[in-house]
Amino acid sequence: MKNVKKYLCGVLSLGMALSLCACGGGETGGETGGETAGEIPVIGISQYGQHGSLDNCREGFLQGLEQAGLVEGTDYTIDYQNASFDDNMAIQIAQAFSAEDAALMVGIATPSATACYAAAEDKDIPVIFTAITDPVGAKLDSGNITGTSDVLPVEGQLQLIRALQPEADTIGIVYTTSEPNSVYSVGIYEELAADYGFTIEAVGVTAQSEVTQAVDTLIAKEVDCLSNLTDNNVVGVLGSILEKTNEAGIPVYGSEIEQVKLGCVAGAGLDYVQLGIQTGLMAAKVLTGEATCQDLPYEVIENYALYVNGAALASLNLELPADLAETAEEVGQ
């Protein structure tokens, strides 16, 4: 009987260990557990949550590896995990990557990147990040880590809002107080807003469940529009936000293409697929030994494009000036 108990305990322990390695649930081909599959290096990708811009970063990252000449299944395998916007899950995912001795960890968004960096430190596993606005503020600018930063084109957004709403005074922003990306971006808005005749009405939240209430607060304050950041909690409930703002007749400006596709009127934003591609090219150099993270300072992607949703503009009686119409990309559904 004692031997049977020992056997059952061993089975249960193995099951728990396998469950931890699978936390977050991936959806790409080539997922793997353990250090290697036939000695093929494992790249552990931790994505903080699922929404358009982060998905585009991941897809672009894989394209970047391919552009660098690497072949999945031959040069690397992918262990993709999604933390579902849960900080504790992001930590567990990173620890599982470390336990399986991944050759490289990739953190998409700040919470995942910081978790990977902490878990990788003891084994000196290189970490590549993307979709991080302020790497310095997140303390990800030194050590065995590098990647790409998505600093928002705030000045371009302010110019766009002024062109579409010449009489507007107040821009509302909802942001998560614990997201360094968002805190940094709100500070830039507040610094530049007066140059374009705006004031910023920012409402901080601590959880996704508070976002729509914060939007109600801004509507009650009669802001002229809302400008989204790449805040994960906010973007995660963008559909609910747009229901409220459309009913109130308040335009919402997106910070990247996917937000505009979902119904924001327009946006000055980055191409997150291209951001991911650049990240993948950097990762390829590290994975193949061509360079170390220390050899590759993090890169800031500064080029941006104008995106418009014609149907959303029309529903709110906004007209796109002719000069912007010549350069803007229509991405409405």
Side-chain angles (χ1 to χ4, degrees):
M1 181 64 70
K2 289 182 179 179
N3 289 337
V4 171
K5 287 182 178 179
K6 288 180 179 179
Y7 174 76
L8 290 175
C9 288
V11 171
L12 289 172
S13 297
L14 177 60
M16 291 178 66
L18 290 174
S19 176
L20 176 61
C21 287
C23 64
E27 59 190 32
T28 68
E31 285 190 13
T32 163
E35 180 180 355
T36 59
E39 299 305 317
I40 299 173
V42 175
I43 300 176
I45 300 178
S46 174
Q47 182 172 320
Y48 186 53
Q50 188 165 8
H51 63 65
S53 58
L54 300 187
D55 291 343
N56 284 349
C57 282
R58 185 183 77 251
E59 292 303 320
F61 177 81
L62 298 175
Q63 290 178 37
L65 294 176
E66 184 178 348
Q67 287 184 18
L70 302 185
V71 178
E72 184 174 1
T74 300
D75 300 306
Y76 65 90
T77 56
I78 295 293
D79 184 350
Y80 164 60
Q81 305 293 335
N82 193 310
S84 300
F85 303 109
D86 185 318
D87 288 358
N88 289 327
M89 184 67 75
I91 293 170
Q92 291 177 35
I93 290 169
Q95 291 172 343
F97 288 163
S98 178
E100 70 177 349
D101 291 324
L104 180 73
M105 295 190 198
V106 179
I108 303 178
T110 303
S112 285
T114 54
C116 284
Y117 189 40
E121 193 169 14
D122 287 345
K123 295 185 176 180
D124 202 30
I125 298 171
V127 177
I128 307 290
F129 62 74
T130 189
I132 295 183
T133 301
D134 184 17
V136 175
K139 299 180 180 178
L140 299 174
D141 58 326
S142 64
N144 199 4
I145 186 168
T146 190
T148 56
S149 171
D150 63 341
V151 175
L152 297 181
V154 173
E155 192 160 15
Q157 186 86 318
L158 293 171
Q159 292 171 352
L160 176 63
I161 297 171
R162 179 53 70 208
L164 284 169
Q165 295 182 262
E167 305 301 321
D169 294 317
T170 307
I171 299 172
I173 299 176
V174 180
Y175 72 102
T176 303
T177 56
S178 60
E179 278 205 28
N181 288 2
S182 298
V183 174
Y184 177 85
S185 295
V186 168
I188 299 300
Y189 267 96
E190 291 175 337
E191 179 182 331
L192 297 178
D195 294 342
Y196 296 89
F198 294 116
T199 58
I200 301 298
E201 189 71 51
V203 178
V205 300
T206 60
Q208 192 169 83
S209 59
E210 301 171 10
V211 171
T212 53
Q213 183 178 351
V215 172
D216 287 335
T217 298
L218 291 173
I219 292 172
K221 291 185 176 182
E222 299 184 344
V223 298
D224 294 294
C225 65
L226 269 64
S227 188
N228 270 352
L229 311 176
T230 50
D231 188 291
N232 293 297
N233 282 324
V234 176
V235 176
V237 291
L238 181 56
S240 298
I241 293 171
L242 290 170
E243 286 182 12
K244 290 178 174 291
T245 54
N246 287 339
E247 183 178 350
I250 297 175
V252 179
Y253 294 84
S255 58
E256 46 85 30
I257 188 172
E258 299 299 332
Q259 294 178 26
V260 181
K261 285 181 180 179
L262 288 173
C264 293
V265 294
L270 303 176
D271 182 337
Y272 277 81
V273 173
Q274 189 58 50
L275 187 77
I277 289 173
Q278 185 61 30
T279 314
L281 292 172
M282 297 175 76
K285 291 181 179 179
V286 174
L287 190 66
T288 60
E290 180 181 341
T292 67
C293 289
Q294 291 89 339
D295 296 330
L296 302 171
Y298 76 83
E299 299 182 11
V300 178
I301 308 300
E302 296 180 340
N303 294 332
Y304 69 91
L306 297 180
Y307 305 108
V308 298
N309 185 318
L313 286 169
S315 70
L316 292 168
N317 298 314
L318 294 176
E319 185 174 345
L320 187 67
D323 60 330
L324 294 184
E326 292 178 358
T327 58
E329 179 183 349
E330 168 64 53
V331 297
Q333 295 176 333

